[in-house]
Amino acid sequence: MDHDPSASAGIPPHVTLMYPFLPPAHLTEQVVNELERLAANVTPFDFVLTNVREFGQGVVYLEPEPAEPFVNLSNEIGRRFGLLPFGGEFGDVLLPHLTLAMPQVHSATQRIADTLAPVLPIKLHADQAWLMVGDSKTRWTRTRRLPFRGVSLRDLTDFSKRWPDGFESPHGFSVKIAEVHYPAVTMRYTEGDHHIDVYAEALVGFLDFVLWPGSIDHCSRPHDSEQINDATRERILERIEAALEFGAYNAGRNT
């Protein structure tokens, strides 16, 4: 499958709220504070990725339901900063979507739909937005998490370094770079008495890692019969990424 080029440039699967946004030089603390305020007005919500769709340009995507929370936040950002989604090229109002593949022939769209059919619908929970800077020709970097109303991100920013390449959070979990057989790496996520090994690839210099979300499907013994759902998988990935960032590593995902 030919994925969105932004995936290989460091952006995980996502629903875009406003692109393009402001140039990096204009992302002042005042701008970021206003984005945080807008996000803090949003109540966290559940949504479902239901159907494979195709835009007229041949872009294949998953449709989130309900669409309204994404549209409402996009509209608020647009009003505050005088922007339209995709510069208004496709209308004044966002059509929420999670891109799967760039322009395809119709037969490829059906193939993608058939491949995903066994796992749809995918149930997810939204509790934050991200501000990202970069481009798909080089790399995208997350510069700020924007929590929704009542959400604390302390468990994604508050770590101590307990062992070499091990990071412990006071919020009940730890992350350790457990095994390295370059370029293969195993990250060990521990929460209580549950241990989960997450596979990753180390890039040149051992300062960048690409996590493999598909490796997060069950716990280690004695809890190996417990399956991991999509929401839990996303929570684990976010916590591993945050721990690695605390350790001055860069983390992306294989999609």
PDB file of all heavy atoms in Angstrom, residues 60-74:
ATOM      1  N   VAL A  60      -7.065   7.876  -0.783  1.00  0.00           N
ATOM      2  CA  VAL A  60      -7.858   6.893  -0.058  1.00  0.00           C
ATOM      3  C   VAL A  60      -7.766   7.188   1.441  1.00  0.00           C
ATOM      4  O   VAL A  60      -6.671   7.446   1.956  1.00  0.00           O
ATOM      5  CB  VAL A  60      -7.352   5.466  -0.346  1.00  0.00           C
ATOM      6  CG1 VAL A  60      -8.232   4.429   0.352  1.00  0.00           C
ATOM      7  CG2 VAL A  60      -7.317   5.211  -1.849  1.00  0.00           C
ATOM      8  N   TYR A  61      -8.915   7.156   2.124  1.00  0.00           N
ATOM      9  CA  TYR A  61      -8.915   7.531   3.537  1.00  0.00           C
ATOM     10  C   TYR A  61      -9.962   6.752   4.316  1.00  0.00           C
ATOM     11  O   TYR A  61     -10.867   6.134   3.744  1.00  0.00           O
ATOM     12  CB  TYR A  61      -9.156   9.032   3.691  1.00  0.00           C
ATOM     13  CG  TYR A  61     -10.538   9.506   3.262  1.00  0.00           C
ATOM     14  CD1 TYR A  61     -11.570   9.646   4.180  1.00  0.00           C
ATOM     15  CD2 TYR A  61     -10.802   9.830   1.931  1.00  0.00           C
ATOM     16  CE1 TYR A  61     -12.832  10.085   3.802  1.00  0.00           C
ATOM     17  CE2 TYR A  61     -12.057  10.277   1.532  1.00  0.00           C
ATOM     18  CZ  TYR A  61     -13.069  10.396   2.475  1.00  0.00           C
ATOM     19  OH  TYR A  61     -14.322  10.822   2.089  1.00  0.00           O
ATOM     20  N   LEU A  62      -9.798   6.786   5.655  1.00  0.00           N
ATOM     21  CA  LEU A  62     -10.806   6.261   6.565  1.00  0.00           C
ATOM     22  C   LEU A  62     -11.651   7.413   7.085  1.00  0.00           C
ATOM     23  O   LEU A  62     -11.134   8.483   7.414  1.00  0.00           O
ATOM     24  CB  LEU A  62     -10.148   5.533   7.736  1.00  0.00           C
ATOM     25  CG  LEU A  62      -9.633   4.115   7.475  1.00  0.00           C
ATOM     26  CD1 LEU A  62      -8.812   3.629   8.660  1.00  0.00           C
ATOM     27  CD2 LEU A  62     -10.788   3.156   7.204  1.00  0.00           C
ATOM     28  N   GLU A  63     -12.932   7.169   7.197  1.00  0.00           N
ATOM     29  CA  GLU A  63     -13.879   8.200   7.625  1.00  0.00           C
ATOM     30  C   GLU A  63     -14.156   8.077   9.125  1.00  0.00           C
ATOM     31  O   GLU A  63     -14.593   7.028   9.590  1.00  0.00           O
ATOM     32  CB  GLU A  63     -15.173   8.018   6.839  1.00  0.00           C
ATOM     33  CG  GLU A  63     -16.263   8.999   7.162  1.00  0.00           C
ATOM     34  CD  GLU A  63     -17.495   8.742   6.329  1.00  0.00           C
ATOM     35  OE1 GLU A  63     -17.907   7.560   6.240  1.00  0.00           O
ATOM     36  OE2 GLU A  63     -18.039   9.700   5.776  1.00  0.00           O
ATOM     37  N   PRO A  64     -13.872   9.143   9.906  1.00  0.00           N
ATOM     38  CA  PRO A  64     -14.188   9.078  11.341  1.00  0.00           C
ATOM     39  C   PRO A  64     -15.623   9.505  11.623  1.00  0.00           C
ATOM     40  O   PRO A  64     -16.145  10.439  11.011  1.00  0.00           O
ATOM     41  CB  PRO A  64     -13.194  10.075  11.950  1.00  0.00           C
ATOM     42  CG  PRO A  64     -12.981  11.093  10.865  1.00  0.00           C
ATOM     43  CD  PRO A  64     -13.157  10.379   9.556  1.00  0.00           C
ATOM     44  N   GLU A  65     -16.269   8.835  12.555  1.00  0.00           N
ATOM     45  CA  GLU A  65     -17.614   9.198  12.996  1.00  0.00           C
ATOM     46  C   GLU A  65     -17.644   9.239  14.521  1.00  0.00           C
ATOM     47  O   GLU A  65     -17.117   8.316  15.157  1.00  0.00           O
ATOM     48  CB  GLU A  65     -18.643   8.178  12.485  1.00  0.00           C
ATOM     49  CG  GLU A  65     -18.770   8.136  10.974  1.00  0.00           C
ATOM     50  CD  GLU A  65     -19.806   7.106  10.521  1.00  0.00           C
ATOM     51  OE1 GLU A  65     -20.386   6.423  11.412  1.00  0.00           O
ATOM     52  OE2 GLU A  65     -20.029   6.962   9.323  1.00  0.00           O
ATOM     53  N   PRO A  66     -18.193  10.306  15.121  1.00  0.00           N
ATOM     54  CA  PRO A  66     -18.777  11.459  14.452  1.00  0.00           C
ATOM     55  C   PRO A  66     -17.712  12.416  13.921  1.00  0.00           C
ATOM     56  O   PRO A  66     -16.600  12.473  14.447  1.00  0.00           O
ATOM     57  CB  PRO A  66     -19.592  12.127  15.577  1.00  0.00           C
ATOM     58  CG  PRO A  66     -18.824  11.786  16.823  1.00  0.00           C
ATOM     59  CD  PRO A  66     -18.292  10.394  16.594  1.00  0.00           C
ATOM     60  N   ALA A  67     -18.073  13.184  12.909  1.00  0.00           N
ATOM     61  CA  ALA A  67     -17.149  14.152  12.322  1.00  0.00           C
ATOM     62  C   ALA A  67     -17.184  15.493  13.042  1.00  0.00           C
ATOM     63  O   ALA A  67     -16.217  16.263  12.990  1.00  0.00           O
ATOM     64  CB  ALA A  67     -17.481  14.357  10.836  1.00  0.00           C
ATOM     65  N   GLU A  68     -18.292  15.765  13.724  1.00  0.00           N
ATOM     66  CA  GLU A  68     -18.507  17.109  14.271  1.00  0.00           C
ATOM     67  C   GLU A  68     -17.407  17.620  15.195  1.00  0.00           C
ATOM     68  O   GLU A  68     -17.004  18.790  15.086  1.00  0.00           O
ATOM     69  CB  GLU A  68     -19.870  17.166  14.992  1.00  0.00           C
ATOM     70  CG  GLU A  68     -21.066  17.161  14.079  1.00  0.00           C
ATOM     71  CD  GLU A  68     -21.364  15.753  13.550  1.00  0.00           C
ATOM     72  OE1 GLU A  68     -20.757  14.789  14.071  1.00  0.00           O
ATOM     73  OE2 GLU A  68     -22.189  15.634  12.629  1.00  0.00           O
ATOM     74  N   PRO A  69     -16.888  16.823  16.140  1.00  0.00           N
ATOM     75  CA  PRO A  69     -15.843  17.371  17.020  1.00  0.00           C
ATOM     76  C   PRO A  69     -14.604  17.836  16.257  1.00  0.00           C
ATOM     77  O   PRO A  69     -14.000  18.853  16.612  1.00  0.00           O
ATOM     78  CB  PRO A  69     -15.520  16.196  17.953  1.00  0.00           C
ATOM     79  CG  PRO A  69     -16.731  15.336  17.924  1.00  0.00           C
ATOM     80  CD  PRO A  69     -17.259  15.452  16.538  1.00  0.00           C
ATOM     81  N   PHE A  70     -14.216  17.112  15.213  1.00  0.00           N
ATOM     82  CA  PHE A  70     -13.070  17.519  14.410  1.00  0.00           C
ATOM     83  C   PHE A  70     -13.382  18.810  13.646  1.00  0.00           C
ATOM     84  O   PHE A  70     -12.568  19.730  13.591  1.00  0.00           O
ATOM     85  CB  PHE A  70     -12.695  16.416  13.407  1.00  0.00           C
ATOM     86  CG  PHE A  70     -12.289  15.120  14.047  1.00  0.00           C
ATOM     87  CD1 PHE A  70     -13.156  14.038  14.069  1.00  0.00           C
ATOM     88  CD2 PHE A  70     -11.033  14.972  14.618  1.00  0.00           C
ATOM     89  CE1 PHE A  70     -12.790  12.832  14.646  1.00  0.00           C
ATOM     90  CE2 PHE A  70     -10.649  13.773  15.206  1.00  0.00           C
ATOM     91  CZ  PHE A  70     -11.531  12.704  15.219  1.00  0.00           C
ATOM     92  N   VAL A  71     -14.578  18.863  13.057  1.00  0.00           N
ATOM     93  CA  VAL A  71     -14.974  20.049  12.291  1.00  0.00           C
ATOM     94  C   VAL A  71     -15.054  21.271  13.188  1.00  0.00           C
ATOM     95  O   VAL A  71     -14.576  22.356  12.840  1.00  0.00           O
ATOM     96  CB  VAL A  71     -16.330  19.805  11.590  1.00  0.00           C
ATOM     97  CG1 VAL A  71     -16.825  21.089  10.932  1.00  0.00           C
ATOM     98  CG2 VAL A  71     -16.198  18.698  10.553  1.00  0.00           C
ATOM     99  N   ASN A  72     -15.635  21.112  14.368  1.00  0.00           N
ATOM    100  CA  ASN A  72     -15.803  22.250  15.274  1.00  0.00           C
ATOM    101  C   ASN A  72     -14.452  22.832  15.698  1.00  0.00           C
ATOM    102  O   ASN A  72     -14.273  24.052  15.708  1.00  0.00           O
ATOM    103  CB  ASN A  72     -16.597  21.834  16.512  1.00  0.00           C
ATOM    104  CG  ASN A  72     -18.044  21.507  16.185  1.00  0.00           C
ATOM    105  OD1 ASN A  72     -18.554  21.900  15.136  1.00  0.00           O
ATOM    106  ND2 ASN A  72     -18.705  20.771  17.064  1.00  0.00           N
ATOM    107  N   LEU A  73     -13.498  21.966  16.057  1.00  0.00           N
ATOM    108  CA  LEU A  73     -12.190  22.475  16.470  1.00  0.00           C
ATOM    109  C   LEU A  73     -11.461  23.097  15.292  1.00  0.00           C
ATOM    110  O   LEU A  73     -10.814  24.138  15.433  1.00  0.00           O
ATOM    111  CB  LEU A  73     -11.358  21.353  17.091  1.00  0.00           C
ATOM    112  CG  LEU A  73      -9.978  21.754  17.612  1.00  0.00           C
ATOM    113  CD1 LEU A  73     -10.047  22.950  18.562  1.00  0.00           C
ATOM    114  CD2 LEU A  73      -9.302  20.564  18.308  1.00  0.00           C
ATOM    115  N   SER A  74     -11.565  22.498  14.129  1.00  0.00           N
ATOM    116  CA  SER A  74     -10.955  23.087  12.933  1.00  0.00           C
ATOM    117  C   SER A  74     -11.524  24.470  12.656  1.00  0.00           C
ATOM    118  O   SER A  74     -10.782  25.415  12.345  1.00  0.00           O
ATOM    119  CB  SER A  74     -11.191  22.171  11.725  1.00  0.00           C
ATOM    120  OG  SER A  74     -10.687  22.759  10.540  1.00  0.00           O
TER     121      SER A  74
END
